[in-house]
Amino acid sequence: MLSRDTAGIYAGWFRALADPTRVQIVTLLAEAGGPMTVGEVVERVSVGQSTVSAHLKVLAGVGFVLVEPRGTARLYRINQECVSCFPSAADVVMGRGVRPFAEAGEAAG
């Protein structure tokens, strides 16, 4: 049985990916190989800047995206740690016996 805290983390991850535009943004940033500005993301996902900014805020809130201030701009990049843990989260939720993210982090630390 998952702990309530771990279940909450996973629920936040799944909620963040419940929007097609956010899935596109995660895919774009994962494939980019480096940080991108909001403007660069807007050009690729074909939605407005305020919408992209709101989606990036949600993704950063759950840790999928990391934000790096650079002068007056903010650069966004994928959080590789979350990307590598997300498939395990899906396996754990479906009862496939993989260790929960929180437990894996404790074992590594």
Side-chain angles (χ1 to χ4, degrees), residues 51-85:
T51 301
V52 167
S53 293
H55 286 309
L56 286 166
K57 183 176 181 179
V58 169
L59 293 168
V62 297
F64 282 149
V65 172
L66 300 174
V67 185
E68 176 187 334
R70 178 121 358 124
T72 59
R74 295 167 66 90
L75 297 177
Y76 297 87
R77 64 182 170 86
I78 201 73
N79 181 349
Q80 291 299 327
E81 185 176 331
C82 279
V83 170
S84 65
C85 290

Side-chain angles (χ1 to χ4, degrees), residues 11-103:
W13 288 359
F14 293 123
R15 232 182 348 265
L17 294 178
D19 182 278
T21 302
R22 287 196 289 267
V23 172
Q24 286 181 305
I25 292 170
V26 166
T27 303
L28 173 64
L29 291 173
E31 293 174 350
M36 297 179 74
T37 65
V38 171
E40 291 169 327
V41 175
V42 167
E43 289 174 9
R44 302 285 299 278
V45 297
S46 302
V47 295
Q49 184 168 342
S50 63
T51 301
V52 167
S53 293
H55 286 309
L56 286 166
K57 183 176 181 179
V58 169
L59 293 168
V62 297
F64 282 149
V65 172
L66 300 174
V67 185
E68 176 187 334
R70 178 121 358 124
T72 59
R74 295 167 66 90
L75 297 177
Y76 297 87
R77 64 182 170 86
I78 201 73
N79 181 349
Q80 291 299 327
E81 185 176 331
C82 279
V83 170
S84 65
C85 290
F86 186 75
S88 298
D91 285 337
V92 169
V93 169
M94 299 310 264
R96 294 192 178 139
V98 179
R99 286 190 325 180
F101 169 69
E103 291 177 14

